[in-house]
Amino acid sequence: MDWPSVGVVLPTHNRPELLRKALEAVLAQEYEGDLRAVIVYDRAEPDLSLAGDRVQVMVNTRTPGLAGARNSGILELDTQLVAFCDDDDIWLPGKLAAQVEALAADPGAELASCGILIDFDDRRIARLAGTEQVTYDDLVRSRMVMVHSSTYVGRRSALIELGMVDEEIPGSQGEDWDLALRAARRHPIVNVDHAYVRVLWGRTSYYAQAWETKIAALRWFLDRYPEIGRSKAGGARVYAQIAFGYACVGRRRTSLRWAGRAFRANWREQRVPFALAVASGLVSGERVLLALHARGRGI
């Protein structure tokens, strides 16, 4: 096999210890092709000591935030493939080679993903897609948490054609879901159904925003992708997430309206009771999230 060159974009903001671990795991991949990394500092002073033969250090030259940082890295690279790794995630051995082989086996594919190993409060839980292909319809019905940004390996030319990462999504929330939707609309995403990335869940992500921003992003998705609202499962999921968000910020009546909308779309939507519990004051949103995260789940 003629192994293509790969450039890995690592966006970061003032988390030097986590970043170094993420970078070490990327560079430790046993990959026979050219492998390089570009660290993109977003609203932070770059650590030039990390630069080396295979590592470039730069600052975000585009819109402040995660999306702009990713795009700065994509444009800086000239490799055939581009991969993402968040600064609090760890690539496990064999990840890159397995995905590049999967991409090579499907010449029409433009993006590859893999399973993840959620790391929360000393618990590690594998999340797998259960399939070798992820379609547009799959992503409309479900966010598919395992189709995660730190798993992505894509053809650079295709990413440029797709318009790269959308920098207009509020707070860059769900930017990886949006990119996956756009890629899968052109060709199914090839998926290596093995947990090759350890994803740290908790309160460490700089890019995690307040619920007002999450709500704005979810409503952005409903506007951008009307197919989500036409999907019983997909629409109900997003409506319930919005209901939960409004409950967390104390907007009880608005939360109840969105919860009702979710219930009418799909009465089996499991997020509705959580939204109602938070809206009623029976439990805090934080407590619900901690309980779900302990099981490798999110809202």
mmCIF file of all heavy atoms in Angstrom, residues 36-66:
data_model
loop_
_atom_site.group_PDB
_atom_site.id
_atom_site.type_symbol
_atom_site.label_atom_id
_atom_site.label_comp_id
_atom_site.label_asym_id
_atom_site.label_seq_id
_atom_site.Cartn_x
_atom_site.Cartn_y
_atom_site.Cartn_z
ATOM 1 N N ARG A 36 2.540 14.219 10.264
ATOM 2 C CA ARG A 36 2.893 15.503 10.855
ATOM 3 C C ARG A 36 1.747 15.996 11.721
ATOM 4 O O ARG A 36 0.617 15.551 11.575
ATOM 5 C CB ARG A 36 3.172 16.536 9.760
ATOM 6 C CG ARG A 36 4.497 16.342 9.036
ATOM 7 C CD ARG A 36 4.604 17.326 7.888
ATOM 8 N NE ARG A 36 4.106 16.761 6.635
ATOM 9 C CZ ARG A 36 3.743 17.492 5.587
ATOM 10 N NH1 ARG A 36 3.753 18.808 5.684
ATOM 11 N NH2 ARG A 36 3.348 16.912 4.481
ATOM 12 N N ALA A 37 2.059 16.944 12.595
ATOM 13 C CA ALA A 37 1.031 17.539 13.453
ATOM 14 C C ALA A 37 1.176 19.048 13.434
ATOM 15 O O ALA A 37 2.291 19.574 13.345
ATOM 16 C CB ALA A 37 1.160 17.017 14.881
ATOM 17 N N VAL A 38 0.040 19.731 13.527
ATOM 18 C CA VAL A 38 0.045 21.174 13.670
ATOM 19 C C VAL A 38 -0.800 21.517 14.894
ATOM 20 O O VAL A 38 -1.969 21.125 14.982
ATOM 21 C CB VAL A 38 -0.459 21.904 12.411
ATOM 22 C CG1 VAL A 38 -1.842 21.429 11.990
ATOM 23 C CG2 VAL A 38 -0.455 23.416 12.606
ATOM 24 N N ILE A 39 -0.180 22.191 15.852
ATOM 25 C CA ILE A 39 -0.873 22.622 17.065
ATOM 26 C C ILE A 39 -1.363 24.049 16.834
ATOM 27 O O ILE A 39 -0.566 24.932 16.490
ATOM 28 C CB ILE A 39 0.064 22.576 18.279
ATOM 29 C CG1 ILE A 39 0.632 21.164 18.467
ATOM 30 C CG2 ILE A 39 -0.672 23.025 19.539
ATOM 31 C CD1 ILE A 39 1.743 21.099 19.503
ATOM 32 N N VAL A 40 -2.666 24.252 17.014
ATOM 33 C CA VAL A 40 -3.254 25.568 16.758
ATOM 34 C C VAL A 40 -3.732 26.163 18.083
ATOM 35 O O VAL A 40 -4.676 25.662 18.696
ATOM 36 C CB VAL A 40 -4.420 25.483 15.762
ATOM 37 C CG1 VAL A 40 -4.926 26.884 15.430
ATOM 38 C CG2 VAL A 40 -4.001 24.751 14.487
ATOM 39 N N TYR A 41 -3.072 27.230 18.509
ATOM 40 C CA TYR A 41 -3.445 27.892 19.751
ATOM 41 C C TYR A 41 -4.559 28.896 19.477
ATOM 42 O O TYR A 41 -4.411 29.795 18.650
ATOM 43 C CB TYR A 41 -2.225 28.594 20.359
ATOM 44 C CG TYR A 41 -1.291 27.639 21.052
ATOM 45 C CD1 TYR A 41 -0.355 26.904 20.333
ATOM 46 C CD2 TYR A 41 -1.357 27.453 22.429
ATOM 47 C CE1 TYR A 41 0.492 26.014 20.967
ATOM 48 C CE2 TYR A 41 -0.510 26.568 23.078
ATOM 49 C CZ TYR A 41 0.413 25.850 22.338
ATOM 50 O OH TYR A 41 1.250 24.961 22.970
ATOM 51 N N ASP A 42 -5.656 28.723 20.193
ATOM 52 C CA ASP A 42 -6.812 29.595 20.042
ATOM 53 C C ASP A 42 -6.908 30.526 21.236
ATOM 54 O O ASP A 42 -7.125 30.066 22.366
ATOM 55 C CB ASP A 42 -8.086 28.758 19.911
ATOM 56 C CG ASP A 42 -9.333 29.614 19.799
ATOM 57 O OD1 ASP A 42 -9.342 30.542 18.973
ATOM 58 O OD2 ASP A 42 -10.300 29.354 20.536
ATOM 59 N N ARG A 43 -6.704 31.835 21.023
ATOM 60 C CA ARG A 43 -6.747 32.827 22.094
ATOM 61 C C ARG A 43 -5.823 32.455 23.249
ATOM 62 O O ARG A 43 -6.190 32.532 24.424
ATOM 63 C CB ARG A 43 -8.189 33.009 22.581
ATOM 64 C CG ARG A 43 -9.107 33.634 21.540
ATOM 65 C CD ARG A 43 -10.558 33.514 21.912
ATOM 66 N NE ARG A 43 -11.028 32.136 21.729
ATOM 67 C CZ ARG A 43 -12.289 31.763 21.915
ATOM 68 N NH1 ARG A 43 -13.199 32.640 22.285
ATOM 69 N NH2 ARG A 43 -12.642 30.504 21.717
ATOM 70 N N ALA A 44 -4.630 32.016 22.886
ATOM 71 C CA ALA A 44 -3.644 31.611 23.892
ATOM 72 C C ALA A 44 -2.242 31.802 23.323
ATOM 73 O O ALA A 44 -2.044 31.763 22.099
ATOM 74 C CB ALA A 44 -3.857 30.156 24.306
ATOM 75 N N GLU A 45 -1.295 31.994 24.210
ATOM 76 C CA GLU A 45 0.098 32.177 23.795
ATOM 77 C C GLU A 45 0.685 30.831 23.376
ATOM 78 O O GLU A 45 0.651 29.862 24.134
ATOM 79 C CB GLU A 45 0.914 32.755 24.949
ATOM 80 C CG GLU A 45 2.318 33.184 24.564
ATOM 81 C CD GLU A 45 2.327 34.398 23.641
ATOM 82 O OE1 GLU A 45 1.363 35.182 23.677
ATOM 83 O OE2 GLU A 45 3.320 34.549 22.896
ATOM 84 N N PRO A 46 1.222 30.711 22.151
ATOM 85 C CA PRO A 46 1.748 29.421 21.688
ATOM 86 C C PRO A 46 3.031 29.027 22.409
ATOM 87 O O PRO A 46 3.858 29.876 22.751
ATOM 88 C CB PRO A 46 1.998 29.665 20.199
ATOM 89 C CG PRO A 46 2.204 31.137 20.073
ATOM 90 C CD PRO A 46 1.324 31.765 21.120
ATOM 91 N N ASP A 47 3.175 27.741 22.622
ATOM 92 C CA ASP A 47 4.391 27.189 23.216
ATOM 93 C C ASP A 47 5.278 26.716 22.078
ATOM 94 O O ASP A 47 5.125 25.611 21.556
ATOM 95 C CB ASP A 47 4.042 26.023 24.146
ATOM 96 C CG ASP A 47 5.265 25.431 24.820
ATOM 97 O OD1 ASP A 47 6.386 25.897 24.544
ATOM 98 O OD2 ASP A 47 5.094 24.477 25.613
ATOM 99 N N LEU A 48 6.231 27.548 21.689
ATOM 100 C CA LEU A 48 7.084 27.248 20.541
ATOM 101 C C LEU A 48 8.055 26.115 20.824
ATOM 102 O O LEU A 48 8.639 25.557 19.890
ATOM 103 C CB LEU A 48 7.846 28.508 20.122
ATOM 104 C CG LEU A 48 6.964 29.685 19.683
ATOM 105 C CD1 LEU A 48 7.821 30.889 19.301
ATOM 106 C CD2 LEU A 48 6.062 29.281 18.523
ATOM 107 N N SER A 49 8.224 25.752 22.095
ATOM 108 C CA SER A 49 9.142 24.659 22.418
ATOM 109 C C SER A 49 8.627 23.315 21.905
ATOM 110 O O SER A 49 9.391 22.352 21.802
ATOM 111 C CB SER A 49 9.363 24.579 23.933
ATOM 112 O OG SER A 49 8.189 24.133 24.598
ATOM 113 N N LEU A 50 7.332 23.239 21.562
ATOM 114 C CA LEU A 50 6.765 21.990 21.057
ATOM 115 C C LEU A 50 7.074 21.770 19.581
ATOM 116 O O LEU A 50 6.864 20.670 19.070
ATOM 117 C CB LEU A 50 5.247 21.984 21.268
ATOM 118 C CG LEU A 50 4.760 21.967 22.714
ATOM 119 C CD1 LEU A 50 3.234 22.084 22.763
ATOM 120 C CD2 LEU A 50 5.212 20.696 23.419
ATOM 121 N N ALA A 51 7.512 22.797 18.897
ATOM 122 C CA ALA A 51 7.794 22.683 17.461
ATOM 123 C C ALA A 51 8.981 21.768 17.227
ATOM 124 O O ALA A 51 9.922 21.695 18.024
ATOM 125 C CB ALA A 51 8.056 24.062 16.873
ATOM 126 N N GLY A 52 8.930 21.037 16.128
ATOM 127 C CA GLY A 52 10.017 20.120 15.790
ATOM 128 C C GLY A 52 9.900 19.656 14.362
ATOM 129 O O GLY A 52 9.156 20.235 13.547
ATOM 130 N N ASP A 53 10.635 18.584 14.029
ATOM 131 C CA ASP A 53 10.648 18.085 12.657
ATOM 132 C C ASP A 53 9.259 17.697 12.174
ATOM 133 O O ASP A 53 8.925 17.877 10.999
ATOM 134 C CB ASP A 53 11.580 16.870 12.553
ATOM 135 C CG ASP A 53 13.035 17.245 12.756
ATOM 136 O OD1 ASP A 53 13.358 18.431 12.586
ATOM 137 O OD2 ASP A 53 13.835 16.353 13.096
ATOM 138 N N ARG A 54 8.442 17.146 13.074
ATOM 139 C CA ARG A 54 7.105 16.696 12.676
ATOM 140 C C ARG A 54 5.991 17.516 13.299
ATOM 141 O O ARG A 54 4.826 17.171 13.144
ATOM 142 C CB ARG A 54 6.927 15.215 13.045
ATOM 143 C CG ARG A 54 7.818 14.261 12.276
ATOM 144 C CD ARG A 54 7.297 12.837 12.404
ATOM 145 N NE ARG A 54 7.405 12.332 13.763
ATOM 146 C CZ ARG A 54 6.707 11.296 14.242
ATOM 147 N NH1 ARG A 54 5.842 10.662 13.463
ATOM 148 N NH2 ARG A 54 6.875 10.877 15.489
ATOM 149 N N VAL A 55 6.352 18.579 13.990
ATOM 150 C CA VAL A 55 5.356 19.369 14.709
ATOM 151 C C VAL A 55 5.499 20.843 14.367
ATOM 152 O O VAL A 55 6.587 21.418 14.480
ATOM 153 C CB VAL A 55 5.482 19.181 16.237
ATOM 154 C CG1 VAL A 55 4.416 20.002 16.953
ATOM 155 C CG2 VAL A 55 5.379 17.711 16.611
ATOM 156 N N GLN A 56 4.401 21.443 13.965
ATOM 157 C CA GLN A 56 4.347 22.876 13.703
ATOM 158 C C GLN A 56 3.441 23.527 14.746
ATOM 159 O O GLN A 56 2.423 22.960 15.138
ATOM 160 C CB GLN A 56 3.790 23.140 12.303
ATOM 161 C CG GLN A 56 3.735 24.598 11.906
ATOM 162 C CD GLN A 56 3.244 24.785 10.483
ATOM 163 O OE1 GLN A 56 3.114 23.816 9.738
ATOM 164 N NE2 GLN A 56 2.971 26.019 10.105
ATOM 165 N N VAL A 57 3.816 24.707 15.185
ATOM 166 C CA VAL A 57 3.031 25.450 16.171
ATOM 167 C C VAL A 57 2.581 26.758 15.533
ATOM 168 O O VAL A 57 3.376 27.474 14.912
ATOM 169 C CB VAL A 57 3.861 25.732 17.439
ATOM 170 C CG1 VAL A 57 3.085 26.626 18.396
ATOM 171 C CG2 VAL A 57 4.239 24.426 18.133
ATOM 172 N N MET A 58 1.292 27.073 15.686
ATOM 173 C CA MET A 58 0.754 28.299 15.102
ATOM 174 C C MET A 58 -0.394 28.816 15.957
ATOM 175 O O MET A 58 -0.820 28.150 16.911
ATOM 176 C CB MET A 58 0.257 28.038 13.672
ATOM 177 C CG MET A 58 -0.908 27.065 13.590
ATOM 178 S SD MET A 58 -1.525 26.839 11.886
ATOM 179 C CE MET A 58 -2.187 28.479 11.550
ATOM 180 N N VAL A 59 -0.894 29.996 15.605
ATOM 181 C CA VAL A 59 -2.066 30.549 16.286
ATOM 182 C C VAL A 59 -3.247 30.519 15.326
ATOM 183 O O VAL A 59 -3.080 30.477 14.103
ATOM 184 C CB VAL A 59 -1.820 31.988 16.772
ATOM 185 C CG1 VAL A 59 -0.731 32.017 17.835
ATOM 186 C CG2 VAL A 59 -1.469 32.908 15.606
ATOM 187 N N ASN A 60 -4.428 30.518 15.881
ATOM 188 C CA ASN A 60 -5.653 30.552 15.090
ATOM 189 C C ASN A 60 -5.704 31.864 14.317
ATOM 190 O O ASN A 60 -5.707 32.947 14.909
ATOM 191 C CB ASN A 60 -6.862 30.416 16.021
ATOM 192 C CG ASN A 60 -8.186 30.435 15.270
ATOM 193 O OD1 ASN A 60 -8.235 30.440 14.044
ATOM 194 N ND2 ASN A 60 -9.274 30.442 16.021
ATOM 195 N N THR A 61 -5.754 31.777 13.000
ATOM 196 C CA THR A 61 -5.763 32.969 12.152
ATOM 197 C C THR A 61 -7.164 33.299 11.640
ATOM 198 O O THR A 61 -7.323 34.236 10.863
ATOM 199 C CB THR A 61 -4.831 32.759 10.946
ATOM 200 O OG1 THR A 61 -5.251 31.600 10.205
ATOM 201 C CG2 THR A 61 -3.391 32.572 11.400
ATOM 202 N N ARG A 62 -8.155 32.526 12.088
ATOM 203 C CA ARG A 62 -9.509 32.719 11.578
ATOM 204 C C ARG A 62 -10.443 33.101 12.734
ATOM 205 O O ARG A 62 -10.009 33.691 13.717
ATOM 206 C CB ARG A 62 -9.965 31.448 10.843
ATOM 207 C CG ARG A 62 -9.128 31.168 9.586
ATOM 208 C CD ARG A 62 -9.459 29.839 8.963
ATOM 209 N NE ARG A 62 -10.836 29.788 8.471
ATOM 210 C CZ ARG A 62 -11.210 30.147 7.241
ATOM 211 N NH1 ARG A 62 -10.319 30.599 6.375
ATOM 212 N NH2 ARG A 62 -12.475 30.039 6.868
ATOM 213 N N THR A 63 -11.716 32.756 12.628
ATOM 214 C CA THR A 63 -12.678 33.105 13.664
ATOM 215 C C THR A 63 -12.251 32.500 15.006
ATOM 216 O O THR A 63 -11.950 31.309 15.069
ATOM 217 C CB THR A 63 -14.072 32.572 13.292
ATOM 218 O OG1 THR A 63 -14.423 33.047 11.995
ATOM 219 C CG2 THR A 63 -15.110 33.021 14.301
ATOM 220 N N PRO A 64 -12.226 33.281 16.079
ATOM 221 C CA PRO A 64 -11.885 32.706 17.388
ATOM 222 C C PRO A 64 -12.843 31.575 17.740
ATOM 223 O O PRO A 64 -14.046 31.663 17.526
ATOM 224 C CB PRO A 64 -12.053 33.891 18.346
ATOM 225 C CG PRO A 64 -11.865 35.105 17.492
ATOM 226 C CD PRO A 64 -12.446 34.743 16.160
ATOM 227 N N GLY A 65 -12.286 30.475 18.265
ATOM 228 C CA GLY A 65 -13.100 29.325 18.615
ATOM 229 C C GLY A 65 -12.584 28.058 17.970
ATOM 230 O O GLY A 65 -11.649 28.066 17.162
ATOM 231 N N LEU A 66 -13.225 26.969 18.324
ATOM 232 C CA LEU A 66 -12.775 25.652 17.879
ATOM 233 C C LEU A 66 -12.823 25.501 16.369
ATOM 234 O O LEU A 66 -11.888 24.975 15.760
ATOM 235 C CB LEU A 66 -13.637 24.588 18.553
ATOM 236 C CG LEU A 66 -13.333 23.126 18.237
ATOM 237 C CD1 LEU A 66 -11.880 22.797 18.521
ATOM 238 C CD2 LEU A 66 -14.252 22.211 19.033
#
